[in-house]
Structures are given as C-alpha cells and as structure tokens.
C-alpha cells in the first residue's frame, strides 16, 4: 500500500479499492496529483495491472513462447 497526502485544492474519492476519482478547480494541480499517484505503481507491460488512467490503453508485451 502507498500513502500520499492530498493537496488542499484537490479532492480524492475512492469508489472501489482500485478506482480513485480526483477532482478540483485547478486543472493543473489535479493532473499533477494524478500523475504522482500513477508514478507510485505504473502499469506492467506484461499483465497490464496496477494504477492507470481511466481511458488509458496499455500495449501488452508478448511473454515467453513455449515450444
């Protein structure tokens, strides 16, 4: 688990354990906070798990080929 302090201009809501909604009046600070949250655990390239944006698509790498 990762703990981050939320800036006073940004509001963060947790709808589910893996869904976090960040809102605020200052767009730049909201994006900066969302980037800080994502940088804690960026998505894996093999499984596509961990923290990612809602509309983000991860191109998965191919795993080992079996003979």
């Amino acid at each position: 688990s990762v703990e981050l302090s939320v800036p006073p201009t940004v509001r963060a809501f947790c709808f589910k354990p893996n869904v976090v909604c960040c809102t605020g009046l200052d767009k730049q600070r909201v994006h900066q906070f969302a980037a800080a949250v994502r940088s804690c655990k960026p998505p894996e390239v093999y499984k596509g798990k961990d923290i990612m944006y809602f509309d983000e698509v991860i191109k998965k790498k191919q795993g080992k080929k079996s003979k």
Side-chain angles (χ1 to χ4, degrees):
S1 67
V2 178
E3 293 184 18
L4 290 173
S5 61
V6 181
T9 59
V10 177
R11 299 216 177 219
F13 303 102
C14 296
F15 296 116
K16 295 180 183 177
N18 59 349
V19 178
V20 179
C21 179
C22 301
T23 60
L25 295 176
D26 191 3
K27 185 177 179 181
Q28 181 180 1
R29 292 193 185 199
V30 172
H31 283 269
Q32 187 176 10
F33 177 71
V37 170
R38 185 181 183 272
S39 68
C40 294
K41 289 189 138 196
E44 295 179 358
V45 292
Y46 293 106
K47 296 182 182 178
K49 292 184 177 182
D50 291 330
I51 299 173
M52 65 180 89
Y53 296 122
F54 182 70
D55 57 350
E56 183 178 19
V57 177
I58 302 295
K59 286 190 174 182
K60 295 182 184 175
K61 284 188 174 180
Q62 187 176 10
K64 280 179 130 179
K65 290 184 180 179
S66 60
K67 292 183 179 183

